[in-house]
C-alpha cells in the first residue's frame, strides 16, 4: 500500500451498471492512482436463476475493465455470504492488515475529493479515540458556515466512510444490551436520532450497519461529517438488498473539503441535523381547526 494512504474496500454483488458508475467516479478521485483497491464480490444465492447468475458474472467482469486504482484485487466469494457477513468479514480482513480502511458499496458515487478527505481525516483523528468513523455523506441542509467538517454523536454512516482497526475491533457482532435499550424509553429515545426509529432494528439485527451504529452508541463515540456531501447514493431503484427513499435530496460537492481538527461537538451543525430529521410538529387540535376554518373563510 502507498505510504499513508488507506486501502479502499468495495463490496459488490449483482449490479454491473451501478458498480461501473461507482468505479468510474472512484477512478477520478485524487489519490486513486496511488491507492490499493480490494473488491469483495459476494457469491450467487443457492437458488439463483440463470439470469441472476449472469448478473453476478457481469458485475465481477467490470472489475477487470480498467485499472481503476494503483492496485486492484478481486476477492470472489464462491458462495453467497449475504451482505452483512461479506462486509464484516471483508473489512476485518483488510483493516487488520493495514490498520485503517475506506469503505464503499456498489451504489455510491464519490466526489473527486472523497479519498483526499478520508485520508486526511484518518491522519488528523487517528489519536482521538472518541472518533469512530469518518463519514463522507451529508444531507443537503443548505445551512453552511465554517468549519467545513463537524463532530456529531450520530457517529456512523454506511454511505462512504473510513475507520481504524482499533475502533473496528470493538464491533459488537452479538450485542448483549439490546433489551436494555429497547425496554427503557429514555435509552430508546437517545438511540433513535431525532425521531428516526433505529431502535426497531435492534429486534432484527440482520444488517452490519446497525451493529456498527450500536457499537458506536455504547462507546459514546463521535463521527466526523463534512458539511457538504462527498457521496451520492444511486441505489434507490429497487435493485439492492435494502431500498430507501428515492426522493432523498442529494447534492454531490465537487470541491476539496479541508480537514481541521475539531475537539468538541459543533452544536450549530448538530442542531441543524436534528432539525433536518425531526418531524415537523403538528399544531394542537384546536389550533388546527382554527386554521382550517380560516382557510375556508378566506376562500369563500
Amino acid at each position: 500500500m502507498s505510504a499513508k494512504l488507506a486501502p479502499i474496500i468495495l463490496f459488490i454483488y449483482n449490479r454491473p451498471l451501478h458498480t461501473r458508475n461507482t468505479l468510474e467516479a472512484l477512478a477520478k478521485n485524487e489519490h486513486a492512482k496511488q491507492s490499493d483497491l480490494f473488491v469483495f464480490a459476494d457469491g450467487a444465492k443457492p437458488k439463483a436463476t440463470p439470469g441472476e447468475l449472469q448478473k453476478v458474472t457481469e458485475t465481477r467482469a467490470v472489475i477487470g475493465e480498467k485499472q481503476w486504482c494503483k492496485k486492484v484485487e478481486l476477492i470472489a466469494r464462491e458462495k453467497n455470504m449475504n451482505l452483512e457477513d461479506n462486509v464484516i468479514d471483508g473489512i476485518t480482513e483488510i483493516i487488520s492488515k493495514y490498520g485503517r480502511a475506506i469503505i464503499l458499496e456498489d451504489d455510491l458515487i464519490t466526489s473527486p475529493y472523497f479519498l483526499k478527505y478520508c485520508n486526511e481525516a484518518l491522519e488528523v483523528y487517528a489519536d482521538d479515540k472518541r472518533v469512530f468513523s469518518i463519514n463522507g455523506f451529508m444531507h443537503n441542509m443548505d445551512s453552511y458556515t465554517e468549519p467545513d467538517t463537524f463532530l456529531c454523536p450520530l457517529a456512523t454512516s454506511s454511505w462512504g466512510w473510513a475507520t481504524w482497526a482499533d475502533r473496528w475491533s470493538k464491533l459488537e457482532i452479538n450485542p448483549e444490551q439490546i433489551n436494555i435499550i429497547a425496554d427503557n424509553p429514555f435509552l430508546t429515545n437517545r438511540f433513535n436520532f431525532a425521531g428516526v426509529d433505529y431502535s426497531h432494528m435492534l429486534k432484527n439485527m440482520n444488517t452490519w450497519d446497525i451493529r456498527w451504529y450500536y457499537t458506536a452508541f455504547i462507546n459514546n463515540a463521535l463521527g466526523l461529517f463534512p458539511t457538504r456531501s462527498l457521496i451520492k447514493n444511486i441505489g434507490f431503484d429497487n435493485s439492492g438488498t435494502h431500498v430507501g427513499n428515492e426522493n432523498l435530496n442529494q447534492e454531490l460537492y465537487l470541491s476539496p473539503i479541508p480537514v481541521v481538527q475539531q475537539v468538541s461537538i459543533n452544536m450549530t451543525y448538530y442542531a441543524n441535523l436534528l432539525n433536518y430529521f425531526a418531524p415537523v410538529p403538528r399544531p394542537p387540535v384546536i389550533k388546527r381547526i382554527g386554521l382550517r376554518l380560516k382557510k375556508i373563510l378566506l376562500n369563500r
Side-chain angles (χ1 to χ4, degrees), residues 153-167:
L154 177 65
T156 66
S157 169
S158 60
W159 293 359
W161 57 287
T163 193
W164 304 264
D166 59 347
R167 276 71 146 188

Side-chain angles (χ1 to χ4, degrees), residues 12 19 21 36 63 107 121 148 165 175 184-185 220 234 243 246 291:
I12 66 172
T19 298
N21 289 336
D36 294 343
I63 307 305
D107 55 3
D148 295 288
N184 185 294
N220 207 28
I234 58 171
V243 297
E246 61 183 7
L291 291 172

Side-chain angles (χ1 to χ4, degrees), residues 9-177:
I9 307 173
L10 173 63
F11 295 97
I12 66 172
Y13 178 40
N14 64 353
R15 297 191 286 182
L17 180 60
H18 293 75
T19 298
R20 186 176 294 109
N21 289 336
T22 293
L23 287 168
E24 291 282 4
L26 179 63
K28 295 176 183 176
N29 262 254
E30 185 174 332
H31 299 325
K33 292 182 179 179
Q34 296 81 41
S35 298
D36 294 343
L37 172 63
F38 297 90
V39 183
F40 287 84
D42 205 359
K45 294 180 180 179
K47 296 182 179 180
T49 66
E52 291 169 339
L53 288 170
Q54 182 64 24
K55 288 292 185 183
V56 171
T57 301
E58 290 176 1
T59 304
R60 295 181 177 190
V62 171
I63 307 305
E65 289 181 352
K66 296 181 182 180
Q67 188 69 31
W68 305 106
C69 291
K70 177 185 177 182
K71 168 189 172 183
V72 180
E73 181 176 336
L74 174 64
I75 300 92
R77 308 294 196 183
E78 294 183 3
K79 299 180 179 179
N80 184 267
M81 295 181 65
N82 71 52
L83 178 62
E84 174 191 1
D85 292 339
N86 190 33
V87 169
I88 293 175
D89 182 80
I91 294 175
T92 302
E93 178 181 337
I94 300 303
I95 209 168
S96 63
K97 294 179 182 178
Y98 297 99
R100 57 183 63 182
I102 299 169
I103 298 96
L104 292 168
E105 293 185 30
D106 64 356
D107 55 3
L108 300 176
I109 301 300
T110 53
S111 161
Y113 300 99
F114 169 72
L115 293 181
K116 175 179 173 64
Y117 158 78
C118 286
N119 278 292
E120 289 182 359
L122 284 169
E123 284 293 318
V124 169
Y125 289 95
D127 296 326
D128 190 339
K129 305 303 182 182
R130 302 172 304 161
V131 180
F132 267 45
S133 183
I134 305 300
N135 306 292
F137 177 79
M138 178 45 55
H139 295 273
N140 185 19
M141 296 188 295
D142 195 26
S143 55
Y144 309 120
T145 58
E146 292 186 354
D148 295 288
T149 62
F150 66 102
L151 293 175
C152 178
L154 177 65
T156 66
S157 169
S158 60
W159 293 359
W161 57 287
T163 193
W164 304 264
D166 59 347
R167 276 71 146 188
W168 182 252
S169 67
K170 299 179 184 294
L171 178 69
E172 295 279 345
I173 301 294
N174 299 301
E176 298 179 352
Q177 303 182 73

Side-chain angles (χ1 to χ4, degrees), residues 244-261:
N245 181 6
E246 61 183 7
N247 296 318
L248 181 68
N249 183 15
Q250 301 185 73
E251 185 173 329
L252 191 64
Y253 191 61
L254 302 177
S255 298
I257 288 186
V259 178
V260 178
Q261 186 169 18

